[in-house]
Amino acid sequence: MREIVGESLAERLIDWGVDTVFGLPGDGINGLMEGFRRHQDKLRFLLVHHEEAAAFMATGYAKATGRLGVCVATSGPGGIHLLNGLYDAKLDHVPVLAITGMQETSLLGSHYQQEVHLDRLYQDVAGYNLMITNPQQMPGVVDLAIREALAGRTVSHLTFPNDIQIAPVEQDPYRHPAPGAPPSSLPTLDRPPPPPEEEALRAAAQVLNAASKPVILVGAGALHARDEVIAVAERLGAPVVKTLPGKAVVPDDHPVTTGGIGLLGTKPSEEAMEECDTLLMVGTSFPYGKYLPEPGKARVAQIDVDPALIGLRLPVEAPVVADAKLALRALLPLLTGTDGSFLARYRGEMDSWRARMAALCDASRDPIAPQYLMGCLDELADEDAILTCDSGTIATWAARHWTIRGDRRFYLSGNLATMAPGLPYAIAMQHAFPGRQVIAFVGDGGFAMLMAEFLTAVRHELPIKVVVNNNNAYGQILWEQIVLGYPEYAVRHRQPEADFSSWARGCGAYGAKATAPGEVAGAVREALAHPGPALVDVDVNPNEPPMPGKVSYEQAKHFTEAFLRGQPHKVATLATVARDKISELRS
């Protein structure tokens, strides 16, 4: 058989070390699918049920492995479905290549069926974005797209018209009047981590050495620099505050950290940030400026591999463009440190916070407290478990009650904060790390969006564990309405709660439903011990508000206004808040 463009694509992906493509076939990519078929011994096509999930899987794969994630969809609606997952990749700065189909070139512009110009649609999401119009462009443009994705930590997109996919790769259909030549390349990219400049390090050290109340804010860009972050924090006597994507940078029980920041964070982190006179930001451009020091109140140094991300939120006096690990390692000998009293005080504050959070993991509370569910999962999961999480109130419970210790990892949609990535992330990460325990902690809303992908896990024999925090509502949106001073509206589903465990059993997997506190620990334990895919659906208290670590006057005022304006379920909500406070005081 003659080599076609679809086969050339498959071969080039293999040359780049790609071993898995996540996607869904269609008549708009039959030529590409034939290329994948011819090389199925080296390139696995992981068949999904929804293209959005394929993009989430490619993104999750890239987040967990640091390698290129690849997703494939057919022309028109299939390519449209990829977009949500691709924006997740773009906003969280991970490399993903999206491959789509296009109507054949002779039909473009004729209003043909499914004629969606995906190259135009993808202009905002993709750093490299091209429709292939000549077999001679292959495989050079594949190299260019992959290099852009890897070097820029972003999305690249290639779309292939039907006729181009099945054209012989050596076909040369046109004359060449231009002095240029088709791209010719090799599947290579040298990406050494950028080292810091001496002058920048000295400037950062000067700022940090003058501090009396320093704080370090770390994000996903410092996940590979745990030892260095801890060493600098101990030298400076600085509390380490963690963004949610950076939760695994420092173990949650380590004495230097005060945990997360923002609505999902801790009171000690918020107060340390308010009090600090110097801030070192490492591997993050944390977007929620209200939780950072007011401009001019604290001196700021920032370390990031991308210079465009430095100074986005605050005036940065000492920018360091470098890999976090290399920069911190080189910075450490230049630091003199403080007397450690600032960190020591916040260690005590954090001990009190941990006791308060532990008190909320109460097995006697009925309806089931979501904190207790997360606490059971945290206690029973492996020391190197990977937890994926959806957006919503579940992110609050995971942020506060999933403990990073050992080699545990934690992933969620950081900047896009989209619903439904938890399940597809888990599938991709279980595929990438077959020997590790991978758990998806999801809400009923997010799970319902892409629940068909649980069947994907069963069919591909991926032993993921899914824990559904089922409050039969969109809890985070409910809370957001209330904190604006509005009574909740259209955020709860009608009773009864869904029983997602029956879906799991219908797929041929383990499924358990817990409706009472005494059923939770046993169901979670059995699911984690099950050798194949497993799901536990837990009916939790729908009136448990994800309270901020530190409630502001404005938040309390709006909360009261919402109740005065007719907030439904206010008695149950107030009772829950009261019980939470009593539990915390007892701690």
Side-chain angles (χ1 to χ4, degrees), residues 90 96 122-130 144-145 148-149 152-157:
K90 177 186 177 179
V96 169
Y122 280 37
Q123 279 182 337
D124 181 60
V125 74
Y128 187 94
N129 181 27
L130 183 69
L144 299 178
E148 177 69 24
R153 296 178 299 135
T154 190
V155 174
S156 286
H157 171 233

Side-chain angles (χ1 to χ4, degrees), residues 55-69:
F56 278 138
M57 290 178 195
T59 300
Y61 181 92
K63 285 183 177 183
T65 66
R67 299 169 60 191
L68 180 74

